[in-house]
Amino acid sequence: MNSTPPEVVLGFLEEAKHWRLLPPQFPSKVGGRPAWLSQRNLPSPHELECEVCRLPMAFLLQVYAPIFGLERSFHRTVFVFCCKTDKCYTCNNNSCIKVFRSQLPRRNEFYPFNPPPEEEPTDNSEADHSMLLSGLKLCWVCGCLGNKACSRCHMVTYCGKHHQTVHWKHTHKKECSSPETTTIKTSPFLFREYELVTEPEEEEVDEAEIDTTVVEEERSALHSSIVGSLTEADLEEVAMHETEDNKVFQQFKKKIASEPHQVMPQLLNSLSVDSMGMSIDWGTLAVYTCSVSCNQGDRYISEFIWKQDFISEHIHSENPHV
């Protein structure tokens, strides 16, 4: 049996212009508000509660991870949310972290058939963080589903009482009576926002075992053999099937990430939450999604995440039965 090891893809954080992190760009990103893929059937506030403290979770990251050759998953994004209460992070307990999967076919009601342009949109109007194109209202604090409006101004919506209180204490108490004075648009609840850029891990190659000349000669001979066996009509038919829009979209997909298997603890330092003593923490987060990416329409599907923590030798010496 000839088994090929899976490709290892590494993720790196980079500063990016805000327009690149909006839903039409199909971003992979960390922090900020979620760039929701499907514009309907968002996870409910109850689904996004921490199972320990029952407070709303914060958006941690999302990875655009389409499955090539599977039309129902032509667009596919995995979203990770985590609790910001440090006491909820107990050893190997994943109750404070949740994962959701969203997927859409290429033809859908939310996005164009062709890939997004590489250039910044000429429309410089700011994105509306209060509402999706479908009409669903979003929480000002966390960017998740928010159907609870401020009872005084009715201008701002929230996912629940807790985030309404957070915003009231932060700025809304002063802004509520005069919305025209609103200047602060960044929620203190959100993690700092970055683009998540990926690239394959470089493999170590033993040059002594590879004769590059022979490899190139064999590749050239194989290419000549294949081309020589095809008639002009055959080549024209192949070209017709490889349409221009498909080539463009394949080039776009080469730039995006594959399945997010692991979230390493180094991310905590970039988010400025890695501190001594009590803090949100993990050793490794391993994300597991449906192996066939089953079709659930435009719903957000809950997936499994495994949280593994480091246990120091000091703890083991004091508690040999742990």
Side-chain angles (χ1 to χ4, degrees):
M1 183 176 178
N2 186 16
S3 59
T4 303
E7 182 183 42
V8 177
V9 180
L10 304 178
F12 304 91
L13 302 186
E14 291 186 359
E15 300 282 354
K17 292 184 177 181
H18 184 61
W19 67 271
R20 291 188 58 85
L21 305 179
L22 298 177
Q25 297 295 319
F26 308 110
S28 293
K29 74 188 197 81
V30 168
R33 293 178 171 88
W36 298 108
L37 180 62
S38 172
Q39 304 280 294
R40 299 189 192 280
N41 298 312
L42 269 58
S44 68
H46 176 72
E47 291 177 300
L48 291 174
E49 284 182 355
C50 171
E51 297 293 335
V52 181
C53 67
R54 292 297 171 186
L55 293 177
M57 290 183 168
F59 168 72
L60 178 62
L61 62 86
Q62 66 186 73
V63 177
Y64 183 61
I67 298 180
F68 297 103
L70 195 61
E71 174 58 21
R72 64 173 177 266
S73 300
F74 188 90
H75 296 298
R76 179 173 176 271
T77 300
V78 177
F79 297 79
V80 181
F81 297 82
C82 71
C83 183
K84 298 191 75 173
T85 305
D86 51 22
K87 293 181 181 179
C88 296
Y89 287 78
T90 55
C91 185
N92 296 338
N93 186 347
N94 67 352
S95 300
C96 53
I97 305 173
K98 293 185 178 181
V99 178
F100 293 88
R101 167 174 55 91
S102 175
Q103 62 190 40
L104 295 169
R106 183 170 184 178
R107 292 192 182 279
N108 60 82
E109 61 179 304
F110 308 121
Y111 305 104
F113 183 79
N114 291 322
E118 288 291 328
E119 300 79 20
E120 183 173 0
T122 54
D123 180 9
N124 294 322
S125 59
E126 292 190 17
D128 185 0
H129 295 299
S130 65
M131 183 182 298
L132 296 179
L133 296 177
S134 62
L136 290 181
K137 295 181 179 179
L138 302 176
C139 175
W140 184 92
V141 175
C142 64
C144 299
L145 188 63
N147 293 322
K148 181 179 178 59
C150 172
S151 58
R152 291 180 61 183
C153 68
H154 302 284
M155 298 287 292
V156 188
T157 55
Y158 306 98
C159 60
K161 185 69 175 178
H162 180 72
H163 278 178
Q164 183 176 10
T165 303
V166 169
H167 191 201
W168 182 262
K169 292 180 179 180
H170 178 56
T171 56
H172 195 57
K173 184 177 181 179
K174 297 179 180 179
E175 301 169 348
C176 188
S177 57
S178 53
E180 66 275 4
T181 63
T182 300
T183 56
I184 300 177
K185 299 184 181 297
T186 303
S187 167
F189 182 75
L190 303 175
F191 292 116
R192 185 175 178 182
E193 191 172 43
Y194 297 94
E195 183 176 12
L196 181 58
V197 181
T198 63
E199 61 182 44
E201 183 180 39
E202 294 184 1
E203 297 181 1
E204 294 184 2
V205 179
D206 188 352
E207 296 182 359
E209 297 182 0
I210 299 179
D211 186 341
T212 55
T213 303
V214 173
V215 171
E216 289 300 323
E217 288 178 352
E218 290 180 349
R219 182 182 300 166
S220 177
L222 178 61
H223 179 267
S224 299
S225 175
I226 294 174
V227 173
S229 64
L230 294 175
T231 66
E232 184 175 346
D234 292 331
L235 292 174
E236 184 176 351
E237 183 177 356
V238 170
M240 289 295 292
H241 280 82
E242 190 178 8
T243 59
E244 186 63 29
D245 64 301
N246 281 333
K247 287 190 288 184
V248 173
F249 229 128
Q250 293 309 316
Q251 292 172 357
F252 167 71
K253 285 193 171 187
K254 288 179 181 179
K255 300 178 182 179
I256 51 82
S258 61
E259 181 67 50
H261 294 295
Q262 291 184 320
V263 182
M264 306 306 290
Q266 289 82 354
L267 177 61
L268 296 167
N269 186 51
S270 299
L271 298 177
S272 302
V273 293
D274 188 15
S275 60
M276 298 298 293
M278 292 299 294
S279 115
I280 70 172
D281 194 16
W282 60 75
T284 300
L285 300 179
V287 176
Y288 294 87
T289 61
C290 175
S291 59
V292 296
S293 200
C294 58
N295 189 14
Q296 299 289 336
D298 55 11
R299 292 176 51 228
Y300 282 78
I301 308 302
S302 177
E303 299 285 14
F304 180 78
I305 187 164
W306 179 49
K307 174 175 172 283
Q308 182 180 25
D309 293 293
F310 299 119
I311 302 177
S312 67
E313 295 181 0
H314 176 70
I315 294 177
H316 276 291
S317 63
E318 292 184 350
N319 301 281
H321 299 293
V322 173

